[in-house]
Amino acid sequence: MAAAGRTALSACLRQISSRPQSAALRAAGAVRFNSTSAAPSADAASTPPPPPSDVTTSAAPKDLPPPPPLVDELASQHMEYEDLKFKVQTGRRRRTLENMPFETYQMALQVLKKDREEKIKKIQLEQARIERVRETMEEGPEKDTVLRSMTRKLDELKVFADINNPRVKFNFDTGNYTLDKPIYRYLADRKWRALKRPTLMQRLEQMNVVPDIVPSINPVADVELRFSGAVIQPGRILSSGLTEKRPTIKVIPFTPGEKLVTIAVVNPDVPDLENDSFTYQLHWLVSNVPISHLHHQAIGTGAQKSDTIMEYLVPTVQKGIKYARFAVLVMEQEGGKLDAEMLKSKVVRERFNTRSFMAKNKCEIIGAHMWRNSWDEQMKDVMIRNNIPGWDKMFKRVRD
Amino acid sequence: MHLRPSIRPSLLRVAARPTLTASHPALTRPATHKASRPANKAKDGPGKRLGAKKTAGTFVRPGQIIYRQRGTLWFPGENCDMGRDHTIHAAQPGYVRYYKDPDYPTRKYIGVSLKKEWNLPTPPGAVRRRRLGMELVDYYETQRSKFEEANWSKELEMVKTGGGIGVGVKVKGEDGQVEDKGRWRSPNWLIGRVGTKEVVKAYDPTNPWLRWQRRVKAKKYAVRMRGSKSKIAGAKAKAAKKAKKAAK
């Protein structure tokens, strides 16, 4: 068995060395996966670094073929080259996903490689079609719909080309990826939709954030909330000491492109004694926050410049109130950049109406999070420390 | 009909012929009246007085029972709560509504609307209309139990210093009970020790085996401390030889 495996491996290596740059490789090189991506530099950063130049000039032995072109291609192709280089330079071989000495496995890899080449041909065909439509078809809404559906198909093909690659799965499982490639965006989205999104939706619906603050929510981006570095699960009751300092927020969109978002923290559980009911209060409002599929940090270390419309107000709950909900809403600014000075002069904390704010400023919710606060041992001190009135009063049920 | 075995015991002893015993199916009498276990169960017990206690549109106060049921025939809707036995009762004063929610078409709901002219369910996506039902009074600390009162200052001190376990962890009592999700439990450092504590049996002088063990141990100890007889003899002989040599 071992002998058979060894022969298979040596055959594989021979195959690689005898074929400096096959037609398939050249074809792969011709396809730019992220031709639509706005960040070519980030693209280059995520692909494996090119082999050092001295390999090809002086130090490399003569039988080492030139490295394959590193244009958005399979990680495995690069790994094959690295293995070859390692073998030529040291005379030893090393175990990787690509050269595991199992005959059936190697045969399966060949099947996957063939399938990928087919997919690449389809991608090229689709790209040519899109180009043709772009040039020949008349401008209008019909062209837009056709182009949109064709681009969707192209994205799908790009995912299909990579989804069976064991190296891609390994990279994703070990967290060694960025969202610049369609396959990793697809995998990350699928993972998020498997558990995190359902959990979030359950919390938002069961705690009635959905009808109380906004009529409906359809999150498409993952929102990560951290207080003092601790990741918060949606809906947790947090201690008042923890929420005294503002949280940091990450927004992870699974679609490419830059976005401007507004982040609001709203409390719908402010007691309203006049009307014997509850009202809203705006705790935090930050606008024009730039995020993208490659830049997730919205607020916190590493975040880009944004406009704080309302400073963070420490969340407090008076004694007697069961708890207060604090909803974090991440809204995409569909009308582009908002006028921060205008907002600063107009937005009021008390009785903040999220629905009308969204309608006026053309904002659409793309992500959400929530936490809760209740009266606890530290709350009195927190209120005194932050000059928030009301610690000397408490609520008591009226006998009906 | 009951058959009696008419074979004499002497014959039985001679040849083991198949006999008809009472366990044989042909000889068993079918039961006409079951004697053990709850034979004749009550077919129809007393009624449990389940069902609606308040009809639609009736004014209810918080805590008033609206519906008694087995299982969730009806679910608690707006301003209603469900008890341990699935009884639906009002949480706010208002008017009883029986309704269906389009979000959950398989469920029936009982709710209480705060005003007579308001209806349930509220249109999809509309804000819930909630009642505060509270008044603002001066702040006071809630009454603590006698036990809490006795340990309060100590607890506070431990909270401040962390009790050697960690800042902010509540600790009380001599064995340092730790507060964990509203309950008191043994601290972590103690949990690990519970199982490893050595159990030492007391010496029983009436047990000959134990006495023998002890004797052997004592002998071994003595040998280790001063050496065995042969060793002692050997050492003496060596010393004598040395002395002889020295004398020569």
Side-chain angles (χ1 to χ4, degrees):
Chain A
M1 176 63 215
R6 224 171 292 134
T7 48
L9 176 86
S10 54
C12 190
L13 277 171
R14 236 179 290 125
Q15 203 184 350
I16 295 164
S17 51
S18 67
R19 175 191 58 150
Q21 210 175 0
S22 70
L25 266 179
R26 257 179 272 122
V31 177
R32 274 205 62 86
F33 264 51
N34 245 2
S35 52
T36 51
S37 161
S41 59
D43 188 354
S46 77
T47 46
S53 55
D54 61 339
V55 173
T56 44
T57 52
S58 59
K62 275 179 184 176
D63 56 342
L64 191 66
L70 291 172
V71 217
D72 209 16
E73 58 186 355
L74 267 188
S76 63
Q77 285 174 356
H78 182 76
M79 286 307 294
E80 274 169 12
Y81 181 78
E82 287 290 306
D83 289 338
L84 185 67
K85 202 175 81 186
F86 186 80
K87 177 132 196 308
V88 168
Q89 285 176 349
T90 62
R92 288 183 288 125
R93 67 204 159 108
R94 57 181 174 185
R95 292 271 178 274
T96 60
L97 273 179
E98 285 76 19
N99 68 11
M100 292 222 285
F102 307 114
E103 206 167 355
T104 324
Y105 179 79
Q106 285 300 333
M107 283 155 83
L109 280 190
Q110 291 304 317
V111 170
L112 294 181
K113 199 179 262 179
K114 210 176 157 191
D115 177 64
R116 187 189 144 83
E117 278 160 16
E118 278 169 26
K119 292 285 165 2
I120 285 170
K121 271 177 200 160
K122 279 187 182 174
I123 288 170
Q124 284 169 320
L125 194 68
E126 195 63 27
Q127 278 174 335
R129 271 184 194 154
I130 288 176
E131 209 51 47
R132 208 184 310 136
V133 166
R134 213 168 258 153
E135 283 167 10
T136 55
M137 210 167 157
E138 279 177 28
E139 292 294 329
E142 204 177 315
K143 184 182 179 178
D144 291 346
T145 37
V146 168
L147 275 179
R148 211 178 299 131
S149 74
M150 288 177 101
T151 329
R152 201 182 304 134
K153 196 185 171 189
L154 182 65
D155 284 347
E156 221 168 55
L157 282 172
K158 283 175 186 170
V159 170
F160 286 158
D162 273 338
I163 190 118
N164 292 321
N165 188 342
R167 171 66 55 182
V168 167
K169 178 165 167 44
F170 177 78
N171 283 349
F172 183 72
D173 290 351
T174 48
N176 182 19
Y177 68 95
T178 49
L179 292 182
D180 61 333
K181 287 197 170 58
I183 178 66
Y184 291 130
R185 284 200 294 271
Y186 170 82
L187 288 174
D189 187 30
R190 195 171 69 175
K191 193 180 175 190
W192 174 65
R193 278 175 197 274
L195 183 64
K196 273 184 98 178
R197 191 180 182 278
T199 315
L200 172 73
M201 287 310 289
Q202 186 206 40
R203 307 287 152 84
L204 293 176
E205 277 166 13
Q206 281 187 352
M207 297 179 207
N208 291 304
V209 166
V210 164
D212 280 356
I213 298 177
V214 278
S216 63
I217 284 182
N218 178 22
V220 291
D222 189 8
V223 178
E224 205 179 275
L225 188 78
R226 284 166 190 258
F227 275 107
S228 309
V231 179
I232 304 299
Q233 294 295 314
R236 259 186 65 190
I237 295 185
L238 303 178
S239 72
S240 50
L242 189 65
T243 54
E244 200 175 349
K245 280 183 184 168
R246 64 147 181 72
T248 61
I249 295 169
K250 262 187 195 175
V251 181
I252 304 158
F254 302 109
T255 47
E258 292 246 335
K259 286 183 187 68
L260 280 181
V261 294
T262 293
I263 294 173
V265 175
V266 186
N267 171 13
D269 294 323
V270 182
D272 182 6
L273 280 166
E274 281 172 39
N275 304 320
D276 192 20
S277 183
F278 295 88
T279 58
Y280 302 91
Q281 191 173 28
L282 178 67
H283 274 257
W284 201 14
L285 188 66
V286 187
S287 276
N288 303 328
V289 187
I291 55 145
S292 77
H293 60 298
L294 297 170
H295 188 91
H296 305 150
Q297 194 80 46
I299 293 169
T301 315
Q304 288 174 16
K305 215 183 145 214
S306 52
D307 298 317
T308 307
I309 312 294
M310 268 299 170
E311 285 294 337
Y312 181 68
L313 176 68
V314 180
T316 49
V317 183
Q318 272 170 294
K319 198 180 175 185
I321 301 288
K322 200 175 167 193
Y323 60 76
R325 299 162 286 167
F326 294 88
V328 183
L329 305 171
V330 179
M331 301 174 274
E332 189 182 349
Q333 296 166 199
E334 289 183 342
K337 201 169 182 184
L338 293 179
D339 186 357
E341 291 309 313
M342 184 272 290
L343 281 179
K344 271 179 198 169
S345 62
K346 279 196 174 175
V347 173
V348 186
R349 268 192 211 281
E350 283 71 37
R351 297 180 187 276
F352 178 76
N353 191 336
T354 316
R355 291 164 203 245
S356 73
F357 176 85
M358 281 167 64
K360 274 178 199 162
N361 298 298
K362 285 183 192 163
C363 288
E364 202 60 51
I365 291 181
I366 57 164
H369 205 287
M370 71 168 293
W371 82 85
R372 290 181 288 172
N373 273 119
S374 60
W375 173 266
D376 52 31
E377 283 162 355
Q378 303 172 53
M379 188 59 91
K380 189 175 160 185
D381 294 342
V382 167
M383 286 171 101
I384 293 169
R385 221 181 293 149
N386 293 289
N387 295 324
I388 294 167
W391 65 265
D392 52 343
K393 295 278 180 189
M394 60 182 270
F395 283 94
K396 218 184 164 195
R397 220 187 108 188
V398 182
R399 279 191 67 86
D400 335 78
Chain B
M1 199 180 76
H2 188 209
L3 290 174
R4 218 180 256 181
S6 59
I7 303 160
R8 274 180 296 166
S10 58
L11 272 174
L12 263 177
R13 238 176 279 133
V14 171
R17 285 165 62 189
T19 52
L20 293 174
T21 55
S23 64
H24 196 274
L27 292 181
T28 46
R29 205 163 47 164
T32 50
H33 187 92
K34 201 165 162 102
S36 63
R37 295 199 286 162
N40 296 301
K41 278 193 274 186
K43 302 267 183 327
D44 193 9
K48 296 297 174 201
R49 277 74 173 162
L50 304 175
K53 305 297 162 208
K54 292 280 180 280
T55 53
T58 320
F59 181 78
V60 282
R61 295 190 171 284
Q64 278 192 337
I65 291 171
I66 302 173
Y67 203 96
R68 274 200 179 280
Q69 56 185 345
R70 291 283 170 272
T72 48
L73 201 64
W74 293 86
F75 282 82
E78 299 227 334
N79 300 321
C80 274
D81 285 336
M82 188 159 69
R84 204 188 55 153
D85 62 347
H86 305 110
T87 298
I88 310 275
H89 50 265
Q92 296 291 347
Y95 299 87
V96 177
R97 301 274 184 265
Y98 289 78
Y99 64 97
K100 273 197 165 189
D101 189 353
D103 286 351
Y104 277 99
T106 52
R107 288 184 174 187
K108 296 187 289 182
Y109 288 89
I110 297 175
V112 166
S113 60
L114 300 175
K115 284 187 183 173
K116 204 164 193 176
E117 60 271 20
W118 290 351
N119 255 331
L120 286 175
T122 45
V127 183
R128 291 182 306 156
R129 286 180 283 219
R130 293 183 292 155
R131 178 173 169 270
L132 177 63
M134 293 202 197
E135 58 183 352
L136 209 54
V137 296
D138 281 342
Y139 173 86
Y140 61 84
E141 299 275 345
T142 36
Q143 199 81 36
R144 285 194 288 269
S145 67
K146 271 184 188 173
F147 178 80
E148 280 175 334
E149 203 66 59
N151 287 302
W152 182 244
S153 57
K154 203 174 168 187
E155 257 180 48
L156 262 187
E157 200 178 293
M158 294 296 258
V159 167
K160 273 178 192 164
T161 56
I165 285 169
V167 176
V169 179
K170 263 189 170 185
V171 182
K172 75 173 184 188
E174 281 174 12
D175 54 343
Q177 292 272 303
V178 183
E179 196 190 34
D180 182 9
K181 289 163 195 160
R183 288 178 187 177
W184 294 99
R185 61 162 180 83
S186 306
N188 292 346
W189 64 269
L190 208 72
I191 291 171
R193 289 192 174 192
V194 171
T196 55
K197 201 173 180 184
E198 242 179 76
V199 184
V200 183
K201 269 186 192 172
Y203 176 66
D204 178 13
T206 58
N207 186 337
W209 190 82
L210 280 181
R211 260 188 286 138
W212 171 61
Q213 287 276 304
R214 205 179 205 194
R215 212 159 52 230
V216 168
K217 262 187 194 172
K219 270 183 187 172
K220 274 187 179 171
Y221 180 77
V223 166
R224 207 170 73 224
M225 293 311 283
R226 62 172 157 74
S228 64
K229 272 182 187 175
S230 58
K231 265 189 182 176
I232 292 167
K236 274 185 181 174
K238 266 188 183 177
K241 268 186 183 178
K242 267 190 179 177
K244 268 186 183 177
K245 271 186 182 177
K248 275 177 184 176

